Amino acid sequence: MSNYSINSLEQYFKVYRRSINKPKKFWGKIAENNFTWYQKWDKVVEFDMEKAEFTWFKNARLNITKNCIDRHLANKGDKHAIIFEPNNPEEPSRYYTYSELYTEVSRMANVLLGQGVQKGDRVCIYLPMIPELVFSVLACARIGAIHSVVFAGFSANALSTRINDSTCKLLITADGGFRGAKTIDLKRIADEALMRSPGIEKVLVVKRTHQDIPMTAGRDMWLQPLLDEADVTSKAAVMDAEDPLFILYTSGSTGKPKGMVHTTAGYMVFTAYTFKNIFNYQPDDIYWCTADIGWITGHSYTIYGPLLNGATTVLFEGIPSYPTHSRFWEVIQKHGVNQFYTAPTAIRSLAKEKIEFIQNFRLESLKVIGSVGEPINEEAWHWYNDHVGNKRCPLVDTWWQTETGGIVISAIPFVTPTKPTYASLPFPGIKPVLMDELRNEIVKNQQIGNLCIEYPWPGIARTIWGDHQRYIDTYFTKFPGKYFSGDGALRDEVGYYRITGRVDDVIIVSGHNLGTAPIEDAINEHQTVAESAVVGFPHDIKGNALYGFVVLKETGLWRDRNNLVKEINQLISDQIGAIARLDKVQFVSGLPKTRSGKIMRRILRNIASGELTDFGDITTLVNPEIVEEIKEGRL
Ligand code: WT7
């Protein structure tokens, strides 16, 4: 694969310069040399940043599963594509070669076709981290159906909202899921969701926990018998470069989740090329990303990026603390993992445990370790670097988003010197800019600004499903001509970027992106609540935790405080999922508001974080006296 790997810092700078000066030539060459196409493109890229219109590899024809599976069969048919590591360590690991992956995906594709799924149809996948999840995703791509994976920790309401937003017609789920010592009743949750999602015509059910579940006649079917009868070969649908590959929902500043749409060719080229370089993947390596496939990290760097490179990817069903806090290290030792990619929140939770949990494991196989999901604080960085990487493995702090499709700022291992808490340098093709509030570009070092990207890259999301205007408004309006990430960042003297966190109303809790609006909507559903505001505050393990300021309709209801907090959290669990529960709830008689009625969140954030002295200018508040009251009552 010529022109594909970056092996020295000089080469990186050369490649980077070329990618910025001649992006069409640069991406065209990568696409040309490293993938299988039914038909090549007429033009590498056409775009309009104001209208948020992007066409990559115009009129090219391809199928991403041909690139993920079929083309590896000749030379790597017997190589493991997937190693499945179950939740319970007593259950044997399962290994799937590329040939077996071909068979499994073909059977699943044929089952979907048999159920009437057609090219362009939306299929919702609500499954735990089991092989059928990967097969389902790839089977959709095989036949040109658009997959919409919903994280199996989401509630019935969240599932139903997502199904309805993209009018999915078929749902793939399981009887239940194992998660540590717990079992999750997935089918029961799905049934509840489907009461509000009549568009779902068929439900395919994987047997995982073997628990008793009700099956609705005419709608629900066990998957296995259908697979057993299905043909083991399949034709890959011919897709246009810009045909949607999947929809993945992410929270935003209103209650409605945003269905980010990624299309076929650009996403393929970008995830493959970033995977190869950012993990320095070598032919016999075993690669493990711990992220759930319900998030973009799982899409791009558990499934697509690795398989596009013919890699062996570990699929882990469990959690870091079950049955003990050694589980990650046990798995690395067991499979001889070479690249390990996880989130700061997992690192922090393991770093606080006794060092014996990691000390007795052999981690010499590791070559590269990665971090993703939120800024990695200095302490966690060092613990990860010292105890997991043994000061020997480059630690790549990878900055990206659901919207970017793949990693956009990161060190390249063995090439870019790393620096704690800095994501470091932009990946080839990415032109970051920092903007101040007056829309001027920040040229000074060490000054925090709004992180934007100036030129499109192949992996950029194309739209929000069903609402292109919202896509334009959210990402392309505040800084005209640029993509605005919603994150703050600064740049050092060398040009390294440090991500400082969200600058909008999204809070990252344990690596999960949570919009404050949907949480507030859930709280306000409580009959005693008048209004509420949710902000983040620093938390040792989660990074941020949620602090809710709640105004009740009548103050007399204070007596049942504990009960009320419980009920509010239950509402949040029902509406969104347990990940969005509040750590602290403070009942207040009002919220600090500006004359235009906007809640001044900055003040609430300060109070929640214990910064009680400097509130800045509060003269624009209609009710400045409330600040004292809230301060006094801080939990
Ligand atoms: C937000 C995107 C990208 C996959 C997982 C999350 C934060 C992500 C980093 C990092 C600092 C990071 C940003 C970003 N984030 N990676 N290495 N350093 N912050 O995807 O759910 O779309 O969240 O996660 O705030 O905007 P997502």
Side-chain angles (χ1 to χ4, degrees):
M1 292 200 184
S2 62
N3 186 34
Y4 197 57
S5 25
I6 300 167
N7 300 310
S8 70
L9 197 55
E10 280 145 275
Q11 194 198 358
Y12 160 78
F13 283 118
K14 229 166 89 192
V15 168
Y16 184 74
R17 234 173 291 126
R18 209 181 327 129
S19 76
I20 296 302
N21 295 338
K22 299 209 152 93
K24 291 179 188 159
K25 207 164 156 200
F26 175 77
W27 288 114
K29 241 189 166 158
I30 288 171
E32 175 107 38
N33 295 336
N34 301 291
F35 303 91
T36 307
W37 305 86
Y38 293 125
Q39 181 187 304
K40 297 261 163 86
W41 46 94
D42 299 333
K43 234 177 159 182
V44 173
V45 62
E46 260 175 25
F47 68 96
D48 180 327
M49 288 297 261
E50 256 94 54
K51 294 190 189 139
E53 286 169 358
F54 309 102
T55 308
W56 280 93
F57 309 109
K58 189 174 183 177
N59 292 331
R61 300 274 189 276
L62 73 158
N63 187 291
I64 197 169
T65 68
K66 276 259 177 206
N67 287 278
C68 286
I69 309 172
D70 304 45
R71 68 164 163 157
H72 304 313
L73 294 178
N75 300 320
K76 292 184 192 147
D78 296 329
K79 178 179 173 174
H80 290 148
I82 295 168
I83 299 177
F84 172 59
E85 182 58 35
N87 177 60
N88 178 354
E90 313 272 294
E91 188 183 324
S93 312
R94 280 189 250 160
Y95 302 82
Y96 297 88
T97 64
Y98 272 92
S99 303
E100 287 162 340
L101 181 63
Y102 172 81
T103 307
E104 297 294 344
V105 171
S106 292
R107 288 157 81 199
M108 187 74 90
N110 291 325
V111 167
L112 293 178
L113 288 172
Q115 295 306 318
V117 177
Q118 291 174 357
K119 189 168 165 174
D121 285 347
R122 273 79 60 208
V123 170
C124 180
I125 304 174
Y126 185 63
L127 283 174
M129 286 283 283
I130 54 178
E132 287 83 353
L133 171 51
V134 180
F135 305 154
S136 302
V137 162
L138 293 170
C140 287
R142 188 90 181 156
I143 65 172
I146 302 169
H147 55 79
S148 169
V149 179
V150 176
F151 173 56
F154 273 128
S155 68
N157 184 70
L159 173 61
S160 148
T161 309
R162 285 159 178 74
I163 289 173
N164 296 347
D165 182 74
S166 46
T167 53
C168 297
K169 66 188 254 192
L170 184 137
L171 171 71
I172 308 176
T173 188
D175 48 359
F178 297 121
R179 198 180 149 75
K182 286 193 215 144
T183 307
I184 300 172
D185 300 332
L186 283 184
K187 179 62 165 56
R188 187 190 54 73
I189 302 169
D191 280 338
E192 198 187 319
L194 293 192
M195 294 196 299
R196 276 163 281 161
S197 298
I200 292 286
E201 295 161 15
K202 298 275 168 62
V203 181
L204 303 178
V205 188
V206 179
K207 226 175 221 171
R208 177 61 184 142
T209 53
H210 295 263
Q211 64 201 94
D212 267 343
I213 52 158
M215 296 286 277
T216 302
R219 189 194 71 185
D220 303 351
M221 280 158 287
W222 290 107
L223 181 65
Q224 197 55 51
L226 299 174
L227 287 174
D228 291 341
E229 305 216 318
D231 208 334
V232 294
T233 62
S234 65
K235 264 224 185 82
V238 178
M239 306 302 289
D240 183 88
E242 285 296 342
D243 276 338
L245 174 64
F246 65 86
I247 301 169
L248 185 62
Y249 286 88
T250 181
S251 343
S253 51
T254 72
K256 202 169 175 252
K258 298 176 287 198
M260 305 311 309
V261 177
H262 283 283
T263 57
T264 309
Y267 178 82
M268 172 180 82
V269 170
F270 196 65
T271 52
Y273 182 53
T274 47
F275 173 80
K276 168 68 190 164
N277 284 294
I278 292 165
F279 297 102
N280 193 253
Y281 187 83
Q282 302 300 319
D284 294 318
D285 287 347
I286 309 285
Y287 162 89
W288 181 22
C289 163
T290 67
D292 196 285
I293 289 165
W295 314 115
I296 191 71
T297 310
H299 281 61
S300 302
Y301 298 112
T302 297
I303 301 184
Y304 287 113
L307 297 181
L308 285 163
N309 283 280
T312 301
T313 177
V314 175
L315 181 72
F316 178 52
E317 185 186 26
I319 55 173
S321 56
Y322 179 82
T324 72
H325 291 99
S326 292
R327 193 64 203 285
F328 273 4
W329 324 129
E330 217 169 79
V331 174
I332 291 173
Q333 175 179 291
K334 179 173 182 187
H335 297 296
V337 170
N338 303 108
Q339 291 90 4
F340 179 64
Y341 191 30
T342 196
T345 184
I347 295 302
R348 286 190 300 264
S349 75
L350 295 169
K352 80 169 195 336
E353 299 299 330
K354 285 204 234 51
I355 200 73
E356 284 75 33
F357 280 114
I358 183 166
Q359 259 173 355
N360 302 325
F361 291 88
R362 302 176 60 98
L363 307 178
E364 296 89 283
S365 59
L366 289 175
K367 296 197 276 193
V368 176
I369 56 176
S371 169
V372 62
E374 60 182 307
I376 178 163
N377 51 304
E378 189 129 14
E379 213 182 327
W381 195 98
H382 284 294
W383 192 89
Y384 195 21
N385 187 55
D386 295 357
H387 297 285
V388 183
N390 224 334
K391 298 188 182 153
R392 181 178 58 75
C393 305
L395 191 173
V396 291
D397 176 2
T398 63
W399 178 76
W400 60 297
Q401 315 176 287
T402 305
E403 296 84 340
T404 67
I407 297 166
V408 285
I409 301 183
S410 170
I412 293 174
F414 312 110
V415 169
T416 325
T418 60
K419 174 172 174 182
T421 75
Y422 280 76
S424 87
L425 296 171
F427 196 74
I430 304 299
K431 209 176 163 194
V433 273
L434 299 177
M435 304 295 289
D436 69 17
E437 287 306 315
L438 300 170
R439 300 181 174 169
N440 296 316
E441 189 173 335
I442 297 176
V443 285
K444 273 223 245 31
N445 299 328
Q446 300 294 348
Q447 198 173 322
I448 296 179
N450 297 290
L451 178 55
C452 298
I453 304 178
E454 235 172 19
Y455 191 88
W457 59 101
I460 189 173
R462 300 301 193 261
T463 192
I464 291 174
W465 184 265
D467 197 350
H468 193 68
Q469 192 56 48
R470 188 176 180 199
Y471 186 54
I472 298 174
D473 295 345
T474 313
Y475 304 102
F476 300 91
T477 304
K478 189 158 178 201
F479 301 99
K482 298 177 174 63
Y483 166 81
F484 173 44
S485 66
D487 279 354
L490 58 79
R491 201 174 30 227
D492 75 1
E493 298 65 32
V494 187
Y496 277 25
Y497 287 85
R498 177 185 187 159
I499 315 301
T500 50
R502 303 289 312 188
V503 295
D504 57 9
D505 290 338
V506 172
I507 305 170
I508 303 194
V509 180
S510 302
H512 301 314
N513 210 327
L514 298 171
T516 51
I519 305 172
E520 289 159 9
D521 289 349
I523 300 171
N524 300 349
E525 294 257 306
H526 197 280
Q527 53 182 19
T528 66
V529 172
E531 61 173 339
S532 60
V534 170
V535 298
F537 69 99
H539 185 281
D540 284 352
I541 292 167
K542 300 179 183 181
N544 296 294
L546 300 176
Y547 195 121
F549 295 91
V550 178
V551 183
L552 297 175
K553 289 175 184 158
E554 294 168 54
T555 41
L557 298 154
W558 287 69
R559 268 173 292 134
D560 293 334
R561 190 183 186 286
N562 288 346
N563 206 25
L564 197 51
V565 170
K566 246 195 219 150
E567 285 174 7
I568 286 173
N569 269 326
Q570 189 56 47
L571 274 169
I572 295 173
S573 288
D574 293 345
Q575 295 281 322
I576 303 159
I579 50 175
R581 292 166 71 96
L582 306 177
D583 264 45
K584 291 185 179 176
V585 180
Q586 181 180 346
F587 295 102
V588 293
S589 68
L591 299 169
K593 284 192 185 163
T594 62
R595 263 158 240 287
S596 58
K598 232 178 150 225
I599 299 170
M600 214 184 255
R601 288 173 187 274
R602 170 170 67 74
I603 294 176
L604 297 176
R605 268 195 293 268
N606 283 357
I607 294 177
S609 313
E611 291 159 27
L612 303 176
T613 45
D614 183 18
F615 290 114
D617 182 14
I618 59 169
T619 54
T620 54
L621 290 178
V622 274
N623 53 349
E625 69 289 347
I626 201 78
V627 176
E628 253 337 278
E629 180 210 302
I630 299 179
K631 216 169 98 178
E632 295 292 306
R634 177 179 172 268
L635 299 173

